[in-house]
Amino acid sequence: MAFFAFFLILCLLLFLPSTNCISSPESQHTQTVRLNHHDTIQAIEDFMAFDAGQLLQESIQVPATTTTTSSSSSPFQGNYIPVYDIDIFLKSGYEDYRSLILFRLARNAKRFEWLSTSLTDSPVDDIPYYYESASYVGIMDIGNPPQRAHLLIDTGSRFVWWDCQPWNNCPTFSYNPSRSSSYRQVDCRMEGECPGNEGLFWGCDMDGNNKCEFKVMYRDSTEAEGFLAYEKVTTTHGEEGGDVVLVENLRFGCAEKSPASMIGKKFTGILGFGPNTYSFIYQMNATSFSFCPKSHTASVATSLYFNSLPIPDDFTFRTPLLQNIQPIYYAVNLTGVYVRWEFLEIKSLTNSDGRVGAVVDSGTSISMFPLQFYNQFRDTFTRHSQWLSRLPGEQFFDTCYNISSPEWYLEVPEIIFQFSGVTGHEVLRLDANQIMMPIGTDGKYCLAFSPTKFRQFTLIGTWQLQGTRVSFDLANQMLQFDPENCKNSPS
Protein backbone atom coordinates (compact mmCIF):
# COMPACT_ATOMS: atom_id res chain seq x y z
CA MET A 1 0.00 0.00 0.00
CA ALA A 2 2.82 2.37 0.83
CA PHE A 3 4.49 1.70 -2.54
CA PHE A 4 1.21 2.35 -4.39
CA ALA A 5 0.77 5.70 -2.58
CA PHE A 6 4.35 6.64 -3.42
CA PHE A 7 3.74 5.79 -7.08
CA LEU A 8 0.66 8.04 -7.24
CA ILE A 9 2.52 10.96 -5.63
CA LEU A 10 5.47 10.54 -8.01
CA CYS A 11 3.07 10.39 -10.92
CA LEU A 12 1.42 13.68 -9.93
CA LEU A 13 4.74 15.45 -9.42
CA LEU A 14 6.28 14.35 -12.69
CA PHE A 15 3.39 14.62 -15.07
CA LEU A 16 1.13 17.48 -14.04
CA PRO A 17 -0.95 18.89 -15.63
CA SER A 18 -1.70 15.52 -17.24
CA THR A 19 -4.64 13.61 -15.72
CA ASN A 20 -3.92 10.29 -17.42
CA CYS A 21 -1.02 8.81 -15.46
CA ILE A 22 -2.24 5.24 -15.55
CA SER A 23 -0.18 2.07 -15.65
CA SER A 24 0.09 0.25 -18.97
CA PRO A 25 -1.73 -3.07 -19.43
CA GLU A 26 1.30 -5.00 -18.21
CA SER A 27 3.19 -2.54 -16.00
CA GLN A 28 4.62 0.95 -15.93
CA HIS A 29 7.88 -0.43 -17.34
CA THR A 30 6.79 0.44 -20.88
CA GLN A 31 9.46 2.97 -21.78
CA THR A 32 11.03 3.84 -25.11
CA VAL A 33 11.76 2.27 -28.49
CA ARG A 34 14.75 2.94 -30.71
CA LEU A 35 15.02 3.70 -34.43
CA ASN A 36 18.31 3.09 -36.25
CA HIS A 37 18.89 6.03 -38.57
CA HIS A 38 21.70 4.31 -40.47
CA ASP A 39 19.47 1.32 -41.32
CA THR A 40 16.64 3.63 -42.34
CA ILE A 41 18.81 5.62 -44.74
CA GLN A 42 20.23 2.45 -46.27
CA ALA A 43 16.71 1.10 -46.85
CA ILE A 44 15.66 4.37 -48.51
CA GLU A 45 18.69 4.38 -50.81
CA ASP A 46 18.14 0.76 -51.82
CA PHE A 47 14.44 1.46 -52.45
CA MET A 48 15.06 4.49 -54.64
CA ALA A 49 17.70 2.63 -56.66
CA PHE A 50 15.51 -0.42 -57.31
CA ASP A 51 14.28 -0.85 -60.89
CA ALA A 52 10.55 -1.60 -60.62
CA GLY A 53 10.05 -2.03 -64.35
CA GLN A 54 10.81 -5.74 -64.26
CA LEU A 55 7.96 -6.39 -61.83
CA LEU A 56 5.32 -5.54 -64.39
CA GLN A 57 6.61 -7.22 -67.53
CA GLU A 58 3.78 -9.39 -68.82
CA SER A 59 6.13 -12.20 -69.80
CA ILE A 60 7.68 -12.45 -66.35
CA GLN A 61 6.14 -14.61 -63.68
CA VAL A 62 6.28 -12.68 -60.41
CA PRO A 63 8.39 -14.72 -57.97
CA ALA A 64 6.54 -16.23 -55.03
CA THR A 65 7.38 -14.55 -51.74
CA THR A 66 6.25 -17.47 -49.63
CA THR A 67 5.50 -21.15 -49.92
CA THR A 68 2.42 -23.06 -48.97
CA THR A 69 3.48 -26.29 -47.36
CA SER A 70 2.24 -28.32 -44.49
CA SER A 71 5.33 -27.62 -42.41
CA SER A 72 5.07 -25.62 -39.23
CA SER A 73 7.16 -22.82 -40.78
CA SER A 74 4.25 -21.76 -43.00
CA PRO A 75 0.99 -20.74 -41.32
CA PHE A 76 -1.05 -20.78 -44.54
CA GLN A 77 -2.63 -23.28 -46.86
CA GLY A 78 -4.43 -20.88 -49.18
CA ASN A 79 -4.15 -19.08 -52.50
CA TYR A 80 -2.58 -15.65 -52.72
CA ILE A 81 -1.50 -12.83 -55.01
CA PRO A 82 1.71 -10.73 -54.80
CA VAL A 83 1.09 -7.18 -53.60
CA TYR A 84 3.49 -4.22 -53.83
CA ASP A 85 3.48 -0.76 -52.30
CA ILE A 86 2.34 1.69 -54.98
CA ASP A 87 5.31 3.99 -54.35
CA ILE A 88 7.69 1.47 -55.88
CA PHE A 89 6.06 2.27 -59.25
CA LEU A 90 5.68 6.00 -58.68
CA LYS A 91 9.13 6.85 -57.30
CA SER A 92 10.79 7.23 -60.71
CA GLY A 93 8.72 10.37 -61.26
CA TYR A 94 10.19 12.16 -58.23
CA GLU A 95 13.54 13.83 -57.72
CA ASP A 96 14.25 12.22 -54.36
CA TYR A 97 12.68 10.39 -51.44
CA ARG A 98 11.62 13.63 -49.76
CA SER A 99 9.55 14.63 -52.82
CA LEU A 100 7.96 11.17 -52.89
CA ILE A 101 7.08 11.35 -49.17
CA LEU A 102 5.50 14.78 -49.52
CA PHE A 103 3.43 13.53 -52.45
CA ARG A 104 2.33 10.53 -50.37
CA LEU A 105 1.26 12.81 -47.54
CA ALA A 106 -0.72 15.02 -49.92
CA ARG A 107 -2.38 11.89 -51.30
CA ASN A 108 -3.07 10.80 -47.73
CA ALA A 109 -4.78 14.10 -46.93
CA LYS A 110 -7.01 13.91 -50.00
CA ARG A 111 -7.88 10.31 -49.22
CA PHE A 112 -8.88 11.22 -45.70
CA GLU A 113 -10.97 14.12 -46.98
CA TRP A 114 -12.91 11.70 -49.15
CA LEU A 115 -13.34 9.12 -46.37
CA SER A 116 -14.48 11.62 -43.76
CA THR A 117 -16.83 13.40 -46.17
CA SER A 118 -18.44 10.11 -47.12
CA LEU A 119 -19.18 9.49 -43.46
CA THR A 120 -21.04 12.74 -43.11
CA ASP A 121 -22.49 13.39 -46.57
CA SER A 122 -23.43 9.82 -47.56
CA PRO A 123 -22.46 10.21 -51.23
CA VAL A 124 -24.12 8.07 -53.86
CA ASP A 125 -20.81 7.07 -55.43
CA ASP A 126 -18.24 5.52 -53.12
CA ILE A 127 -15.12 6.73 -54.89
CA PRO A 128 -11.85 8.33 -53.76
CA TYR A 129 -10.60 11.81 -54.54
CA TYR A 130 -8.47 10.60 -57.36
CA TYR A 131 -7.16 7.44 -58.85
CA GLU A 132 -3.84 7.09 -57.02
CA SER A 133 -5.40 7.23 -53.55
CA ALA A 134 -4.78 3.52 -52.94
CA SER A 135 -1.53 2.23 -51.42
CA TYR A 136 -1.08 -1.25 -52.89
CA VAL A 137 -0.85 -2.84 -56.33
CA GLY A 138 -1.89 -6.48 -56.72
CA ILE A 139 -0.75 -8.70 -59.59
CA MET A 140 -3.03 -11.41 -61.01
CA ASP A 141 -4.21 -12.86 -64.31
CA ILE A 142 -7.40 -12.15 -66.24
CA GLY A 143 -9.09 -14.22 -68.93
CA ASN A 144 -8.26 -17.33 -70.95
CA PRO A 145 -5.47 -17.41 -71.96
CA PRO A 146 -4.42 -15.26 -68.99
CA GLN A 147 -3.37 -11.64 -69.32
CA ARG A 148 -1.30 -10.11 -66.55
CA ALA A 149 -3.19 -7.40 -64.62
CA HIS A 150 -1.82 -4.79 -62.22
CA LEU A 151 -4.66 -3.43 -60.12
CA LEU A 152 -4.90 -1.10 -57.15
CA ILE A 153 -6.19 -2.90 -54.06
CA ASP A 154 -8.43 -0.79 -51.89
CA THR A 155 -10.46 -1.74 -48.81
CA GLY A 156 -12.25 1.60 -49.13
CA SER A 157 -13.65 0.87 -52.61
CA ARG A 158 -16.66 -1.31 -53.39
CA PHE A 159 -16.37 -1.82 -57.13
CA VAL A 160 -14.01 -3.50 -59.61
CA TRP A 161 -12.99 -1.97 -62.92
CA TRP A 162 -10.03 -2.04 -65.26
CA ASP A 163 -9.12 -0.65 -68.67
CA CYS A 164 -10.25 -2.52 -71.76
CA GLN A 165 -8.68 -2.19 -75.19
CA PRO A 166 -9.07 -0.73 -77.67
CA TRP A 167 -9.46 2.96 -76.99
CA ASN A 168 -7.33 6.05 -77.53
CA ASN A 169 -4.42 6.47 -75.09
CA CYS A 170 -5.11 3.03 -73.64
CA PRO A 171 -2.35 2.12 -71.14
CA THR A 172 0.23 -0.42 -72.28
CA PHE A 173 -0.71 -2.99 -69.69
CA SER A 174 -4.46 -2.87 -70.21
CA TYR A 175 -6.62 -5.91 -70.81
CA ASN A 176 -7.83 -6.93 -74.28
CA PRO A 177 -11.20 -8.74 -74.13
CA SER A 178 -10.91 -9.92 -77.74
CA ARG A 179 -8.05 -12.18 -76.70
CA SER A 180 -10.04 -14.00 -74.02
CA SER A 181 -12.46 -16.89 -74.54
CA SER A 182 -13.86 -16.48 -71.01
CA TYR A 183 -14.92 -12.85 -71.51
CA ARG A 184 -18.67 -12.17 -71.62
CA GLN A 185 -20.42 -8.81 -71.83
CA VAL A 186 -23.33 -8.23 -69.47
CA ASP A 187 -26.53 -8.13 -71.48
CA CYS A 188 -28.75 -5.49 -69.95
CA ARG A 189 -31.84 -7.14 -71.44
CA MET A 190 -31.39 -10.09 -69.08
CA GLU A 191 -33.29 -9.72 -65.82
CA GLY A 192 -31.04 -8.99 -62.86
CA GLU A 193 -27.88 -8.59 -64.96
CA CYS A 194 -27.73 -4.79 -64.98
CA PRO A 195 -28.18 -2.97 -61.64
CA GLY A 196 -29.32 0.26 -63.28
CA ASN A 197 -29.72 3.65 -61.59
CA GLU A 198 -27.68 2.64 -58.54
CA GLY A 199 -25.05 5.34 -58.30
CA LEU A 200 -22.24 3.92 -60.45
CA PHE A 201 -24.54 1.98 -62.75
CA TRP A 202 -26.38 3.92 -65.40
CA GLY A 203 -28.56 1.23 -66.96
CA CYS A 204 -28.70 0.23 -70.63
CA ASP A 205 -26.94 2.32 -73.24
CA MET A 206 -29.01 4.15 -75.83
CA ASP A 207 -27.17 2.88 -78.92
CA GLY A 208 -28.72 -0.56 -79.14
CA ASN A 209 -25.60 -2.44 -77.95
CA ASN A 210 -27.37 -3.77 -74.85
CA LYS A 211 -24.46 -2.72 -72.65
CA CYS A 212 -24.91 -2.09 -68.95
CA GLU A 213 -23.12 1.19 -68.45
CA PHE A 214 -21.10 2.38 -65.46
CA LYS A 215 -19.46 5.69 -64.71
CA VAL A 216 -17.09 6.59 -61.88
CA MET A 217 -16.87 10.34 -61.33
CA TYR A 218 -13.78 11.20 -59.29
CA ARG A 219 -13.68 14.21 -57.03
CA ASP A 220 -10.85 15.79 -59.02
CA SER A 221 -13.22 15.84 -62.06
CA THR A 222 -11.64 12.85 -63.82
CA GLU A 223 -13.78 9.89 -64.84
CA ALA A 224 -13.73 6.19 -65.58
CA GLU A 225 -16.58 4.87 -67.65
CA GLY A 226 -17.55 1.86 -69.74
CA PHE A 227 -19.79 -1.17 -69.39
CA LEU A 228 -20.16 -4.26 -67.21
CA ALA A 229 -18.81 -7.65 -68.23
CA TYR A 230 -17.81 -11.02 -66.76
CA GLU A 231 -14.34 -12.50 -66.71
CA LYS A 232 -12.27 -15.21 -65.04
CA VAL A 233 -9.58 -14.12 -62.57
CA THR A 234 -6.72 -16.46 -61.68
CA THR A 235 -3.43 -16.53 -59.81
CA THR A 236 -0.28 -18.53 -60.39
CA HIS A 237 0.32 -18.63 -56.64
CA GLY A 238 -1.99 -21.38 -55.54
CA GLU A 239 -1.97 -23.97 -52.82
CA GLU A 240 -1.64 -26.81 -55.32
CA GLY A 241 0.61 -24.94 -57.76
CA GLY A 242 -0.22 -23.81 -61.29
CA ASP A 243 -3.11 -21.55 -62.22
CA VAL A 244 -5.86 -21.31 -59.61
CA VAL A 245 -9.22 -19.70 -60.30
CA LEU A 246 -10.06 -16.99 -57.77
CA VAL A 247 -13.37 -15.94 -59.36
CA GLU A 248 -14.92 -17.81 -62.30
CA ASN A 249 -17.32 -15.06 -63.38
CA LEU A 250 -16.29 -11.74 -61.88
CA ARG A 251 -18.66 -8.88 -62.74
CA PHE A 252 -16.41 -5.89 -63.44
CA GLY A 253 -16.39 -2.57 -65.20
CA CYS A 254 -14.74 -2.76 -68.62
CA ALA A 255 -13.48 0.83 -68.90
CA GLU A 256 -13.41 2.57 -72.24
CA LYS A 257 -12.27 5.77 -70.58
CA SER A 258 -10.21 6.25 -67.42
CA PRO A 259 -8.61 9.15 -65.50
CA ALA A 260 -5.86 10.99 -67.33
CA SER A 261 -3.66 10.63 -64.23
CA MET A 262 -3.20 6.94 -64.95
CA ILE A 263 -2.04 7.30 -68.54
CA GLY A 264 1.52 6.00 -68.69
CA LYS A 265 1.19 4.32 -65.29
CA LYS A 266 1.75 0.60 -64.83
CA PHE A 267 -1.56 -0.19 -63.14
CA THR A 268 -4.84 -0.18 -64.95
CA GLY A 269 -7.77 -0.43 -62.60
CA ILE A 270 -9.13 -0.85 -59.07
CA LEU A 271 -9.86 -4.03 -57.19
CA GLY A 272 -12.32 -3.01 -54.49
CA PHE A 273 -12.12 -5.02 -51.26
CA GLY A 274 -14.82 -3.10 -49.40
CA PRO A 275 -17.90 -4.72 -47.84
CA ASN A 276 -20.29 -4.58 -50.78
CA THR A 277 -21.98 -6.95 -53.22
CA TYR A 278 -19.94 -5.69 -56.17
CA SER A 279 -16.48 -5.78 -54.54
CA PHE A 280 -13.91 -8.38 -55.53
CA ILE A 281 -13.70 -10.01 -52.12
CA TYR A 282 -17.46 -10.50 -51.88
CA GLN A 283 -17.86 -11.81 -55.43
CA MET A 284 -15.12 -14.26 -54.57
CA ASN A 285 -17.17 -15.43 -51.56
CA ALA A 286 -13.98 -15.18 -49.55
CA THR A 287 -14.17 -16.04 -45.87
CA SER A 288 -11.05 -13.97 -45.16
CA PHE A 289 -8.12 -12.06 -46.61
CA SER A 290 -4.80 -11.49 -44.92
CA PHE A 291 -1.53 -9.65 -45.61
CA CYS A 292 1.50 -8.05 -43.99
CA PRO A 293 1.78 -4.34 -44.82
CA LYS A 294 5.45 -4.02 -45.71
CA SER A 295 7.76 -1.16 -44.90
CA HIS A 296 7.10 1.64 -47.38
CA THR A 297 10.69 1.26 -48.58
CA ALA A 298 10.35 -2.47 -49.30
CA SER A 299 11.11 -3.55 -52.85
CA VAL A 300 9.68 -7.05 -52.40
CA ALA A 301 6.07 -8.14 -52.43
CA THR A 302 3.88 -9.15 -49.58
CA SER A 303 1.46 -12.03 -50.15
CA LEU A 304 -2.25 -11.33 -49.89
CA TYR A 305 -3.91 -14.60 -48.87
CA PHE A 306 -7.52 -15.60 -49.38
CA ASN A 307 -9.50 -18.00 -47.20
CA SER A 308 -6.57 -18.70 -44.91
CA LEU A 309 -5.90 -17.27 -41.45
CA PRO A 310 -2.54 -17.53 -39.68
CA ILE A 311 -2.19 -20.01 -36.86
CA PRO A 312 -2.48 -17.96 -33.64
CA ASP A 313 0.60 -17.55 -31.46
CA ASP A 314 1.19 -15.93 -28.08
CA PHE A 315 0.96 -12.44 -29.60
CA THR A 316 -2.20 -12.92 -31.69
CA PHE A 317 -5.36 -11.07 -30.74
CA ARG A 318 -8.75 -10.49 -32.35
CA THR A 319 -11.16 -7.59 -32.18
CA PRO A 320 -14.70 -7.46 -33.63
CA LEU A 321 -15.46 -5.63 -36.84
CA LEU A 322 -18.20 -3.16 -36.00
CA GLN A 323 -21.20 -3.56 -38.23
CA ASN A 324 -23.37 -0.52 -37.78
CA ILE A 325 -20.95 2.38 -37.53
CA GLN A 326 -20.40 2.77 -41.26
CA PRO A 327 -21.17 -0.29 -43.38
CA ILE A 328 -18.99 0.75 -46.33
CA TYR A 329 -15.75 0.54 -44.29
CA TYR A 330 -14.01 -1.86 -41.93
CA ALA A 331 -14.12 -0.42 -38.41
CA VAL A 332 -12.87 -1.73 -35.06
CA ASN A 333 -13.20 -0.70 -31.44
CA LEU A 334 -10.10 1.37 -30.62
CA THR A 335 -10.59 2.49 -27.03
CA GLY A 336 -7.41 4.42 -26.39
CA VAL A 337 -3.69 4.94 -26.82
CA TYR A 338 -0.80 4.58 -24.39
CA VAL A 339 2.16 6.96 -24.60
CA ARG A 340 4.72 5.24 -22.39
CA TRP A 341 2.58 4.42 -19.36
CA GLU A 342 0.00 7.19 -19.78
CA PHE A 343 -3.36 6.09 -21.13
CA LEU A 344 -5.38 8.47 -23.30
CA GLU A 345 -8.99 7.53 -23.87
CA ILE A 346 -10.25 8.19 -27.36
CA LYS A 347 -13.83 8.95 -28.33
CA SER A 348 -14.76 8.48 -31.95
CA LEU A 349 -17.76 7.26 -33.90
CA THR A 350 -19.98 5.10 -31.73
CA ASN A 351 -22.61 2.56 -32.59
CA SER A 352 -25.84 1.74 -30.81
CA ASP A 353 -24.20 -0.08 -27.91
CA GLY A 354 -21.56 2.59 -27.32
CA ARG A 355 -18.50 0.92 -28.82
CA VAL A 356 -15.91 3.20 -30.39
CA GLY A 357 -15.15 2.85 -34.07
CA ALA A 358 -11.87 3.44 -35.88
CA VAL A 359 -11.68 2.81 -39.62
CA VAL A 360 -8.88 0.50 -40.81
CA ASP A 361 -8.02 1.64 -44.35
CA SER A 362 -5.47 0.09 -46.69
CA GLY A 363 -5.30 3.26 -48.77
CA THR A 364 -4.22 5.67 -46.03
CA SER A 365 -0.63 5.82 -44.82
CA ILE A 366 -0.67 7.57 -41.46
CA SER A 367 -3.17 7.29 -38.62
CA MET A 368 -5.40 10.27 -37.98
CA PHE A 369 -7.11 11.34 -34.75
CA PRO A 370 -9.85 13.85 -33.91
CA LEU A 371 -8.24 17.24 -33.24
CA GLN A 372 -8.89 17.41 -29.50
CA PHE A 373 -7.53 13.91 -28.93
CA TYR A 374 -4.58 14.49 -31.26
CA ASN A 375 -3.53 17.60 -29.32
CA GLN A 376 -3.59 15.63 -26.07
CA PHE A 377 -1.71 12.75 -27.71
CA ARG A 378 0.95 15.04 -29.23
CA ASP A 379 1.47 17.02 -26.04
CA THR A 380 1.91 13.81 -24.05
CA PHE A 381 4.39 12.50 -26.61
CA THR A 382 6.47 15.70 -26.62
CA ARG A 383 6.50 15.80 -22.83
CA HIS A 384 8.02 12.34 -22.85
CA SER A 385 10.49 13.33 -25.60
CA GLN A 386 12.13 16.35 -24.04
CA TRP A 387 15.62 14.92 -24.63
CA LEU A 388 15.15 15.09 -28.41
CA SER A 389 16.10 17.99 -30.66
CA ARG A 390 12.95 19.60 -32.12
CA LEU A 391 12.67 20.83 -35.68
CA PRO A 392 9.96 22.89 -37.39
CA GLY A 393 6.92 21.00 -38.65
CA GLU A 394 6.60 19.61 -42.16
CA GLN A 395 3.35 20.36 -44.01
CA PHE A 396 1.05 17.71 -42.51
CA PHE A 397 3.20 17.11 -39.41
CA ASP A 398 3.66 19.46 -36.48
CA THR A 399 6.03 17.35 -34.35
CA CYS A 400 9.45 16.70 -35.87
CA TYR A 401 12.91 15.89 -34.53
CA ASN A 402 16.50 15.83 -35.72
CA ILE A 403 19.13 13.11 -35.81
CA SER A 404 22.64 14.40 -36.40
CA SER A 405 25.92 12.50 -36.47
CA PRO A 406 27.26 10.84 -34.37
CA GLU A 407 23.81 10.15 -32.82
CA TRP A 408 22.70 7.48 -35.30
CA TYR A 409 19.54 6.50 -33.48
CA LEU A 410 16.29 8.05 -32.38
CA GLU A 411 14.86 6.95 -29.05
CA VAL A 412 11.17 7.79 -28.65
CA PRO A 413 8.34 6.97 -26.22
CA GLU A 414 6.61 3.71 -27.00
CA ILE A 415 3.04 3.97 -28.29
CA ILE A 416 0.45 1.25 -27.78
CA PHE A 417 -3.00 0.97 -29.34
CA GLN A 418 -5.67 -0.54 -27.09
CA PHE A 419 -8.63 -2.37 -28.63
CA SER A 420 -11.68 -4.03 -27.23
CA GLY A 421 -10.94 -7.71 -27.78
CA VAL A 422 -12.95 -10.88 -27.55
CA THR A 423 -12.21 -11.42 -23.85
CA GLY A 424 -11.12 -7.95 -22.75
CA HIS A 425 -8.64 -5.25 -23.71
CA GLU A 426 -5.99 -6.15 -26.29
CA VAL A 427 -2.93 -4.07 -27.19
CA LEU A 428 -0.81 -3.52 -30.30
CA ARG A 429 2.66 -2.20 -29.49
CA LEU A 430 4.27 0.06 -32.08
CA ASP A 431 8.00 0.14 -32.70
CA ALA A 432 9.93 3.29 -33.54
CA ASN A 433 9.61 2.75 -37.30
CA GLN A 434 5.82 2.71 -36.92
CA ILE A 435 5.84 5.84 -34.77
CA MET A 436 8.21 8.11 -36.71
CA MET A 437 8.43 8.88 -40.44
CA PRO A 438 11.68 10.03 -42.13
CA ILE A 439 11.25 13.16 -44.24
CA GLY A 440 13.98 12.63 -46.77
CA THR A 441 17.44 11.46 -45.77
CA ASP A 442 18.80 14.44 -43.84
CA GLY A 443 17.89 13.17 -40.38
CA LYS A 444 14.49 14.79 -40.00
CA TYR A 445 11.83 12.51 -38.49
CA CYS A 446 8.23 13.43 -37.74
CA LEU A 447 5.58 11.88 -35.53
CA ALA A 448 3.61 9.85 -38.08
CA PHE A 449 0.14 10.88 -36.90
CA SER A 450 -2.06 13.76 -37.94
CA PRO A 451 -5.12 15.61 -36.61
CA THR A 452 -8.45 15.84 -38.39
CA LYS A 453 -11.08 18.54 -38.40
CA PHE A 454 -13.77 15.89 -38.05
CA ARG A 455 -14.53 15.56 -34.35
CA GLN A 456 -15.47 11.90 -34.32
CA PHE A 457 -13.42 10.30 -37.07
CA THR A 458 -10.42 8.10 -36.25
CA LEU A 459 -8.46 6.23 -38.89
CA ILE A 460 -5.72 3.61 -38.52
CA GLY A 461 -3.23 3.84 -41.40
CA THR A 462 -0.82 1.32 -42.85
CA TRP A 463 2.29 3.09 -41.50
CA GLN A 464 1.27 2.00 -38.00
CA LEU A 465 0.45 -1.52 -39.27
CA GLN A 466 3.64 -2.17 -41.26
CA GLY A 467 5.27 -5.40 -40.15
CA THR A 468 2.06 -6.70 -38.54
CA ARG A 469 -0.06 -9.31 -40.27
CA VAL A 470 -3.61 -7.98 -40.55
CA SER A 471 -6.34 -10.54 -41.27
CA PHE A 472 -9.93 -9.69 -42.12
CA ASP A 473 -11.97 -12.67 -40.91
CA LEU A 474 -15.16 -12.00 -42.83
CA ALA A 475 -16.87 -15.24 -41.81
CA ASN A 476 -16.72 -14.29 -38.14
CA GLN A 477 -16.58 -10.50 -38.61
CA MET A 478 -13.30 -10.17 -36.76
CA LEU A 479 -10.02 -8.37 -37.38
CA GLN A 480 -7.00 -10.43 -36.36
CA PHE A 481 -3.60 -8.93 -35.57
CA ASP A 482 -0.44 -11.04 -35.58
CA PRO A 483 2.43 -8.69 -34.62
CA GLU A 484 5.13 -11.39 -34.79
CA ASN A 485 3.84 -13.40 -37.76
CA CYS A 486 5.49 -11.29 -40.46
CA LYS A 487 8.86 -11.60 -38.71
CA ASN A 488 8.74 -15.32 -38.00
CA SER A 489 7.35 -16.71 -41.25
CA PRO A 490 7.26 -15.92 -44.97
CA SER A 491 5.14 -12.91 -45.83
Side-chain angles (χ1 to χ4, degrees):
M1 182 65 72
F3 175 79
F4 181 69
F6 172 77
F7 172 77
L8 290 178
I9 293 172
L10 181 65
C11 191
L12 290 171
L13 290 175
L14 291 178
F15 299 106
L16 286 172
S18 172
T19 60
N20 292 292
C21 193
I22 301 174
S23 297
S24 71
E26 297 175 4
S27 74
Q28 73 268 28
H29 297 298
T30 303
Q31 295 290 324
T32 59
V33 286
R34 179 175 291 190
L35 182 150
N36 188 308
H37 176 59
H38 182 271
D39 290 349
T40 301
I41 298 306
Q42 187 62 56
I44 290 174
E45 291 176 351
D46 292 345
F47 172 76
M48 295 301 291
F50 180 76
D51 179 11
Q54 60 179 317
L55 300 177
L56 297 178
Q57 295 299 323
E58 187 171 6
S59 61
I60 294 177
Q61 293 294 318
V62 180
T65 57
T66 184
T67 57
T68 53
T69 69
S70 58
S71 70
S72 59
S73 64
S74 177
F76 294 101
Q77 294 296 312
N79 305 316
Y80 68 95
I81 60 173
V83 174
Y84 292 88
D85 190 291
I86 190 175
D87 285 349
I88 200 170
F89 307 116
L90 300 179
K91 64 184 178 65
S92 61
Y94 295 87
E95 179 181 357
D96 51 26
Y97 184 73
R98 174 185 170 82
S99 301
L100 179 65
I101 279 289
L102 294 179
F103 169 76
R104 176 192 295 163
L105 294 175
R107 190 175 72 206
N108 193 90
K110 292 297 184 183
R111 169 84 175 193
F112 183 82
E113 176 186 330
W114 159 61
L115 287 170
S116 54
T117 301
S118 68
L119 287 171
T120 55
D121 293 349
S122 299
V124 175
D125 296 348
D126 172 35
I127 49 178
Y129 183 81
Y130 64 153
Y131 183 77
E132 293 173 358
S133 65
S135 292
Y136 296 101
V137 178
I139 300 180
M140 60 188 66
D141 293 320
I142 298 172
N144 182 32
Q147 301 175 44
R148 181 57 47 83
H150 323 117
L151 305 173
L152 296 178
I153 293 175
D154 188 2
T155 58
S157 293
R158 301 178 291 164
F159 184 52
V160 179
W161 69 264
W162 56 71
D163 287 314
C164 289
Q165 297 181 12
W167 56 273
N168 294 334
N169 297 320
C170 193
T172 305
F173 292 93
S174 56
Y175 154 82
N176 189 338
S178 66
R179 290 171 46 193
S180 174
S181 63
S182 53
Y183 164 82
R184 176 169 63 90
Q185 177 187 312
V186 168
D187 187 340
C188 63
R189 295 171 300 178
M190 301 295 291
E191 184 177 356
E193 288 285 280
C194 185
N197 300 320
E198 294 185 18
L200 299 174
F201 310 115
W202 288 38
C204 279
D205 68 359
M206 305 303 294
D207 298 327
N209 294 319
N210 304 319
K211 292 181 177 180
C212 181
E213 296 183 322
F214 83 92
K215 188 172 186 178
V216 179
M217 303 179 66
Y218 284 78
R219 291 177 181 247
D220 65 348
S221 299
T222 58
E223 300 175 352
E225 60 182 85
F227 56 91
L228 297 188
Y230 290 102
E231 186 53 285
K232 180 168 67 175
V233 177
T234 59
T235 178
T236 57
H237 304 279
E239 180 178 353
E240 304 298 332
D243 291 341
V244 175
V245 176
L246 297 177
V247 184
E248 186 67 46
N249 289 291
L250 179 74
R251 182 157 53 174
F252 72 100
C254 196
E256 299 174 296
K257 176 183 177 182
S258 62
S261 61
M262 68 173 291
I263 303 299
K265 298 297 192 299
K266 304 302 190 297
F267 30 85
T268 59
I270 287 183
L271 206 62
F273 270 52
N276 179 270
T277 304
Y278 303 108
S279 76
F280 176 79
I281 203 70
Y282 274 71
Q283 290 193 63
M284 186 182 174
N285 294 318
T287 58
S288 67
F289 62 96
S290 171
F291 73 111
C292 292
K294 290 279 190 179
S295 162
H296 287 265
T297 55
S299 56
V300 295
T302 184
S303 300
L304 194 156
Y305 277 91
F306 304 104
N307 303 321
S308 180
L309 295 171
I311 299 172
D313 56 32
D314 292 341
F315 301 94
T316 298
F317 70 90
R318 291 161 66 82
T319 183
L321 289 168
L322 305 184
Q323 300 303 299
N324 55 343
I325 288 182
Q326 180 49 266
I328 64 175
Y329 307 119
Y330 297 106
V332 293
N333 188 11
L334 178 68
T335 57
V337 177
Y338 284 91
V339 180
R340 297 189 80 174
W341 57 78
E342 293 195 58
F343 180 71
L344 310 176
E345 183 181 6
I346 188 169
K347 294 186 180 299
S348 189
L349 293 171
T350 58
N351 64 6
S352 58
D353 61 7
R355 289 180 295 179
V356 179
V359 170
V360 179
D361 178 45
S362 69
T364 306
S365 294
I366 60 173
S367 295
M368 309 187 80
F369 296 138
L371 179 60
Q372 183 176 359
F373 178 84
Y374 173 80
N375 289 339
Q376 183 185 21
F377 166 77
R378 177 205 56 210
D379 293 347
T380 305
F381 183 88
T382 56
R383 181 159 40 80
H384 284 291
S385 307
Q386 294 181 4
W387 63 84
L388 297 177
S389 175
R390 287 289 296 270
L391 288 175
E394 187 73 47
Q395 292 193 8
F396 307 98
F397 295 136
D398 59 11
T399 305
C400 301
Y401 299 94
N402 179 54
I403 295 179
S404 58
S405 182
E407 296 178 357
W408 284 95
Y409 64 88
L410 187 70
E411 190 170 347
V412 298
E414 184 178 33
I415 291 174
I416 302 173
F417 287 170
Q418 177 176 283
F419 299 90
S420 176
V422 177
T423 59
H425 293 309
E426 301 284 0
V427 297
L428 179 65
R429 297 179 179 275
L430 306 185
D431 64 30
N433 292 292
Q434 296 167 300
I435 297 170
M436 308 300 294
M437 178 180 285
I439 308 297
T441 57
D442 61 356
K444 185 173 186 176
Y445 288 78
C446 297
L447 182 63
F449 297 81
S450 182
T452 78
K453 62 182 180 181
F454 297 93
R455 185 182 60 179
Q456 291 186 305
F457 191 23
T458 299
L459 187 146
I460 300 174
T462 55
W463 192 270
Q464 280 65 50
L465 298 177
Q466 59 183 316
T468 297
R469 183 171 293 280
V470 182
S471 302
F472 295 78
D473 182 354
L474 305 178
N476 298 298
Q477 288 298 298
M478 303 290 292
L479 191 64
Q480 179 170 316
F481 292 96
D482 291 273
E484 296 298 312
N485 180 274
C486 301
K487 304 172 187 175
N488 297 336
S489 63
S491 60

